[in-house]
Amino acid sequence: MRERPSTDRPRRDPSDVGTTSGGACQGGADRDAAPPADALPAAACHGGGARRLRLEPDRIRVTLVGSPNVGKSALFNRLTGAYVTVSNYPGTSVEVSSGGATIAGRGAEVVDTPGMYSLLPTTEEERVARRAVLSGEAGVLVHVIDAKNLDRMLPLTLQLAETGEPLVVALNMMDELERLGMTVDAALLAERLSVRVVPITAVSGRGLDELERAIAAAAGERRPVRPIYTNGVGTAVEAVSGRLSARYPVDPVGYATLVLQADEEALELVRRLEPDGGEAALAAAREAAARMGGPPVYRMAYERQRTAERLLEGVLGGGRDGGRTWSDRIGPWLTRPLTGVPILVVVLYFGLFKFVGQFGAGTLVDFLENTVFQAHVNPVLERAFAAVPWEWLRSLFVGEYGVLTLGVRYAVAIILPVVGSFFVFFSILEDSGYFPRLALLVDRAFKRIGLSGRAVIPMVLGFACDTMATMVTRTLETRRERVLATLLLALAVPCSAQLGVILAILSATPTALGIWAGVLVLTFLLVGVITARLLPGESATFHMELPPLRRPRLGNVAVKTYSRMQWYFIEVLPLFLFASVMLWALKLTGLFGTIIGGLAPLVRLLGLPPETARIFLFGFFRRDYGAAGLYDLHRQGALDTVQLTVAAVTLTLFVPCIAQFLMMIKERGWKTALGMFAFITPFAFGAGLVLFHLLRGLGL
């Protein structure tokens, strides 16, 4: 390694920084569109709409960077004290989140970026993270590394060093390293890298004070560090960076390496900023690439890995000091089909069927619905509004479609306990590190339907909330995979509330439950295989870091569950109230009867009573709203077993709720979303029709 004096080229004022908030930095209506030409220097955003913040002069900007599953979000939570979901799978931090903190006595703005493996991105989340790094507004870069996998992660450290930004390396998961009987000489590594290296364990807070002091000290430094590459790679980088004379957000060497690797966004930026249109730099890149003895992408990756290995000589020591732990023994079982599939079946049986379906949607819903609302709350509300002289106004609050007696009751008594029990189950699995192993288990099967194992993340999230899962499909590598995953989520993945209610209804009839589950699985596979053959584009590759298996921590599970329930309830209750008002307005104007009359012939074709048309109209406003309506019909004894099975299948396959549909438009564009809508509606009723005649034909 060697040092250079700071470049005298003008740079942006570091006090004028950008931040992202929610979806504001996620672009326009079509997430699959090509990024704008000026995406690289934009402050961690692309597509506009970013909220700008000017930090106070004494405040620090800290940007957390690293591969998936290294504990960035856990560290973010520790530094800020604000909760961001801490996951053991990639895709949690799809958007760039920020939070306030006090670091070594100074105010700070901490930014948590999505996971990335390299500054040469292959996924949308890597592009977002790279834009945060190359924005010139990142402040102190904190590279969070899994200490057990230093050799694989140090190449990204070298790339971050090439940007010239203040850099601190946080060696996370030191508890896991020590459990393996290994040691790391952080001081020696820091000397060789010429940056501060701090061992930490984010989940317990170990080493956080030292890390904060390192961040505060690095905030005032501008000492770009350059790794020395051999075999002509270093010379090639020098040749290209020497031809860059324009003003860049970070050190030109960071862009020179990207230009050498023919990164399209970097090339476009150089052409736009350089006085000669980038001719000199691009000519130098072509000449250098011709002398590198192979494709620059591979040559640079190879040299970075060799450099990392040299830097680590004598840094790591020791080895495993004992027998295999329970994590070592169980881990492989979860990823092998022979053992992983039975384990998955057991997990789903006890987690989804017994806990969510029977306890959450059965015991808890029965108590809240019958004991609390029907026996006490609703009668009190009806008496309270009995004095209202106008029937039309009274019916807005109480009655068949009342905001209080229908909307609040559905949200609190039927949906909330189901969602809550699902999030407890989900958080336990998430905190244990099971999900990445599930991704490896299903990767081969998913490849047959055009997806990679990485797609298991939005699919599992879909069982919580399909709207949230549709947003997370942006983490998938290719547009083809994102479109396919969005379609399957909209068609064959029920959200937790809908799933829990249907499990509760069908659990008393195992045959009906088996038929419902079988139709969903068959639909998922059939539509996936056919769509994968029809959609153009290349199949996605799959790689993933495996975090350690851990015993779930009660505190983590409780905080995650509470946070998600709070988020979901805040999101859902207004939608339920809105749906109630819309239904009331439709009823008041007579449009409700007109729409129900239009749907009645369709439900009669399915062998369902006319009042079933109402639950499909409910389902358009919210999937779980329709499921709650089905629960009411079932409780009233209006459906026999065949009708209940057909209604459950059709409702599950029916069009997504408004919130999910709007997210589909935002992520995939309105043409793609409308196309999916046009396919799903007739498919759902067609599947219900075939199932009805098949069951009646079998004499069930």
Side-chain angles (χ1 to χ4, degrees):
M1 305 289 291
R2 60 176 176 174
E3 293 184 7
R4 279 185 181 171
S6 297
T7 178
D8 58 358
R9 295 186 178 98
R11 290 156 57 97
R12 294 183 180 179
D13 177 4
S15 67
D16 182 14
V17 296
T19 187
T20 59
S21 176
C25 290
Q26 297 308 318
D30 191 350
R31 292 280 306 175
D32 298 316
D38 62 345
L40 279 176
C45 296
H46 52 290
R51 177 170 57 90
R52 304 282 297 178
L53 289 181
R54 179 174 294 277
L55 292 183
E56 299 172 5
D58 61 338
R59 286 175 67 84
I60 307 171
R61 164 58 61 93
V62 180
T63 300
L64 306 182
V65 182
S67 304
N69 300 320
V70 296
K72 293 191 312 303
S73 294
L75 178 57
F76 178 89
N77 185 37
R78 282 283 176 180
L79 291 174
T80 63
Y83 185 76
V84 166
T85 302
V86 181
S87 302
N88 285 325
Y89 56 87
T92 299
S93 301
V94 175
E95 299 171 342
V96 179
S97 304
S98 63
T102 301
I103 294 180
R106 297 174 61 181
E109 183 80 12
V110 183
V111 177
D112 182 24
T113 66
M116 70 172 173
Y117 295 97
S118 169
L119 289 183
L120 200 67
T122 58
T123 66
E124 186 63 25
E125 61 182 352
E126 285 188 312
R127 291 185 181 92
V128 172
R130 180 175 79 163
R131 286 160 190 154
V133 171
L134 298 182
S135 66
E137 301 170 344
V140 179
L141 293 172
V142 177
H143 186 200
V144 186
I145 289 178
D146 178 358
K148 307 187 306 300
N149 296 307
L150 262 172
D151 57 334
R152 293 208 306 271
M153 299 188 175
L154 208 57
L156 178 56
T157 307
L158 301 178
Q159 296 177 67
L160 297 175
E162 291 163 7
T163 68
E165 299 295 276
L167 177 63
V168 175
V169 175
L171 298 181
N172 195 22
M173 300 184 187
M174 286 298 296
D175 57 335
E176 293 292 327
L177 183 86
E178 292 163 356
R179 183 181 61 80
L180 297 174
M182 299 176 65
T183 61
V184 59
D185 191 337
L188 178 58
L189 182 60
E191 179 183 349
R192 292 177 177 178
L193 285 171
S194 297
V195 300
R196 290 170 175 80
V197 178
V198 184
I200 68 168
T201 301
V203 293
S204 66
R206 168 185 167 186
L208 264 293
D209 290 340
E210 184 182 352
L211 178 63
E212 290 184 8
R213 289 193 294 269
I215 291 171
E221 296 178 346
R222 289 284 181 183
R223 297 188 301 126
V225 179
R226 304 287 179 261
I228 297 177
Y229 298 128
T230 59
N231 294 338
V233 173
T235 303
V237 174
E238 294 278 356
V240 177
S241 63
R243 300 294 182 92
L244 298 176
S245 60
R247 176 181 177 178
Y248 290 89
V250 301
D251 195 285
V253 170
Y255 289 101
T257 58
L258 295 174
V259 169
L260 268 172
Q261 297 172 90
D263 179 80
E264 289 297 331
E265 292 183 8
L267 291 172
E268 179 61 28
L269 183 68
V270 169
R271 292 189 185 101
R272 183 163 54 83
L273 295 184
E274 290 295 322
D276 64 350
E279 289 298 328
L282 298 183
R286 287 191 295 269
E287 293 171 6
R291 294 193 299 266
M292 289 178 70
V297 171
Y298 300 109
R299 295 295 304 123
M300 297 200 71
Y302 177 72
E303 290 302 328
R304 285 193 180 109
Q305 190 61 55
R306 277 169 49 104
T307 302
E309 292 170 359
R310 291 199 304 270
L311 291 170
L312 289 174
E313 290 177 2
V315 170
L316 292 173
R320 192 180 296 277
D321 62 351
R324 301 180 70 199
T325 65
W326 69 271
S327 175
D328 298 324
R329 291 191 294 269
I330 295 177
W333 297 355
L334 303 178
T335 59
R336 297 170 183 164
L338 187 61
T339 52
V341 172
I343 291 174
L344 176 61
V345 171
V346 172
V347 168
L348 294 178
Y349 175 77
F350 285 102
L352 285 183
F353 180 70
K354 300 294 288 185
F355 183 65
V356 178
Q358 291 191 350
F359 175 71
T363 305
L364 292 182
V365 169
D366 283 345
F367 172 74
L368 291 173
E369 168 76 1
N370 298 322
T371 305
V372 177
F373 271 83
Q374 295 290 4
H376 297 93
V377 176
N378 281 4
V380 170
L381 291 173
E382 289 171 357
R383 287 195 298 270
F385 283 88
V388 176
W390 303 284
E391 168 61 25
W392 64 270
L393 182 58
R394 184 169 60 252
S395 63
L396 173 62
F397 297 97
V398 296
E400 187 178 8
Y401 303 115
V403 170
L404 300 178
T405 54
L406 181 71
V408 174
R409 177 172 65 88
Y410 273 17
V412 175
I414 299 179
I415 305 307
L416 186 60
V418 179
V419 170
S421 58
F422 178 87
F423 280 147
V424 170
F425 163 68
F426 188 88
S427 298
I428 291 173
L429 293 186
E430 181 184 43
D431 208 54
S432 69
Y434 177 67
F435 283 137
R437 289 161 176 83
L438 177 60
L440 288 179
L441 175 66
V442 304
D443 180 58
R444 180 174 296 181
F446 270 33
K447 288 285 176 57
R448 298 181 182 275
I449 58 173
L451 300 172
S452 69
R454 188 182 182 89
V456 78
I457 305 306
M459 293 303 163
V460 172
L461 282 175
F463 288 104
C465 175
D466 282 300
T467 303
M468 177 173 60
T470 302
M471 180 183 69
V472 174
T473 58
R474 67 180 61 155
T475 65
L476 302 180
E477 184 174 341
T478 66
R479 182 183 187 278
R480 176 176 182 265
E481 195 175 11
R482 293 192 291 270
V483 170
L484 180 55
T486 302
L487 174 62
L488 293 177
L489 282 169
L491 179 63
V493 178
C495 66
S496 60
Q498 185 186 49
L499 174 66
V501 173
I502 289 178
L503 286 177
I505 296 172
L506 299 182
S507 60
T509 312
T511 301
L513 181 61
I515 292 172
W516 174 80
V519 171
L520 289 192
V521 172
L522 181 62
T523 298
F524 186 90
L525 296 176
L526 181 63
V527 173
V529 169
I530 295 175
T531 307
R533 292 180 179 274
L534 296 177
L535 281 177
E538 298 181 357
S539 299
T541 57
F542 176 62
H543 55 275
M544 176 180 287
E545 296 288 338
L546 282 181
L549 279 176
R550 297 178 183 268
R551 291 183 179 88
R553 298 187 176 212
L554 180 61
N556 283 353
V557 172
V559 172
K560 291 177 181 183
T561 302
Y562 171 76
S563 177
R564 286 180 170 129
M565 286 179 63
Q566 183 183 48
W567 170 85
Y568 192 85
F569 194 56
I570 289 174
E571 292 290 327
V572 166
L573 183 56
L575 291 174
F576 270 73
L577 300 181
F578 170 75
S580 296
V581 172
M582 290 295 297
L583 291 171
W584 168 81
L586 291 174
K587 182 73 172 180
L588 192 65
T589 59
L591 291 176
F592 186 88
T594 302
I595 297 174
I596 294 298
L599 288 174
L602 287 176
V603 300
R604 280 197 294 269
L605 284 176
L606 303 181
L608 302 175
E611 56 266 29
T612 314
R614 185 182 63 173
I615 70 171
F616 290 103
L617 183 58
F618 283 8
F620 177 70
F621 289 100
R622 290 286 303 177
R623 277 188 169 191
D624 35 20
Y625 212 72
L630 184 61
Y631 178 86
D632 272 351
L633 285 179
H634 169 67
R635 188 187 57 188
Q636 297 164 10
L639 303 172
D640 61 28
T641 301
V642 170
Q643 291 174 323
L644 185 61
T645 306
V646 172
V649 167
T650 309
L651 182 64
T652 306
L653 298 178
F654 191 49
V655 295
C657 66
I658 290 177
Q660 185 183 358
F661 183 64
L662 293 176
M663 183 61 70
M664 289 166 61
I665 294 175
K666 178 183 177 184
E667 296 294 315
R668 305 282 83 86
W670 66 271
K671 290 183 179 179
T672 302
L674 286 177
M676 292 181 184
F677 189 95
F679 167 76
I680 290 172
T681 303
F683 183 92
F685 281 98
L689 181 63
V690 171
L691 180 63
F692 170 71
H693 287 290
L694 181 62
L695 294 179
R696 287 302 190 205
L698 293 175
L700 298 178

